[in-house]
Amino acid sequence: MDVFYAYTYSTAAWLGLQATTLILSPTLIVAMLSVDARKPTAEITADPDDPKAPYAVPTLIITTAFHAVSALYSYMQYTRTGQVGFALGNFGSGMLSATGTWCLVFGTEKGRISKRTGADKRTSGWPFKNAESDKKKQNRKL
């Protein structure tokens, strides 16, 4: 699931870039120097053998929703003020929201592959044409 890793790393980089102004703030640095600071956790994978796998899809849903709302907010602010920073924020959050949506739709579940034909058993005619099913139906009619 390479796209999932790209999504999680780009989300971390994007939020890190947005947080640089907060990190440079003196009051936040004092709060970050507190004794009970937490260490970063290990990466979350969508592999079923990983014990953290149940958290992959909920994390994906929450971050995708965050990026969608952030993109909408920055778009509304850009149309109101015309500042380029909001347009850049809209672009970054919109791209991450689209990537997260793509991961949710296509990357969260493995297909059921037929051992005999090698085709996915759960294919349908929407939103893409199912040529394999059409071939089978034509062969049955003959």
Side-chain angles (χ1 to χ4, degrees):
M1 187 174 229
D2 296 332
V3 177
F4 178 73
Y5 290 131
Y7 173 76
T8 56
Y9 291 137
S10 58
T11 295
W14 180 248
L15 294 177
L17 180 67
Q18 291 178 351
T20 54
T21 56
L22 295 175
I23 292 172
L24 297 177
S25 172
T27 57
L28 186 63
I29 292 175
V30 170
M32 288 173 43
L33 292 176
S34 65
V35 187
D36 54 340
R38 301 174 105 193
K39 294 182 179 180
T41 59
E43 64 183 29
I44 297 174
T45 63
D47 186 22
D49 298 334
D50 187 16
K52 295 181 196 87
Y55 302 112
V57 175
T59 301
L60 187 62
I61 291 170
I62 291 170
T63 56
T64 301
F66 169 77
H67 288 305
V69 170
S70 180
L72 180 66
Y73 174 76
S74 60
Y75 174 74
M76 290 188 314
Q77 290 297 324
Y78 173 69
T79 57
R80 191 172 64 89
T81 62
Q83 294 180 354
V84 178
F86 288 119
L88 294 174
N90 179 26
F91 178 75
S93 293
M95 292 301 291
L96 288 171
S97 174
T99 305
T101 303
W102 186 90
C103 285
L104 283 171
V105 172
F106 296 110
T108 56
E109 189 175 305
K110 293 183 179 177
R112 295 185 181 141
I113 306 298
S114 171
K115 292 179 182 177
R116 186 172 48 95
T117 63
D120 192 352
K121 292 180 181 180
R122 298 176 304 142
T123 54
S124 67
W126 186 87
F128 309 108
K129 186 174 178 170
N130 187 355
E132 290 298 320
S133 178
D134 293 341
K135 288 179 189 176
K136 290 178 183 178
K137 290 178 183 176
Q138 289 176 354
N139 291 339
R140 289 182 188 167
K141 290 181 181 179
L142 295 176

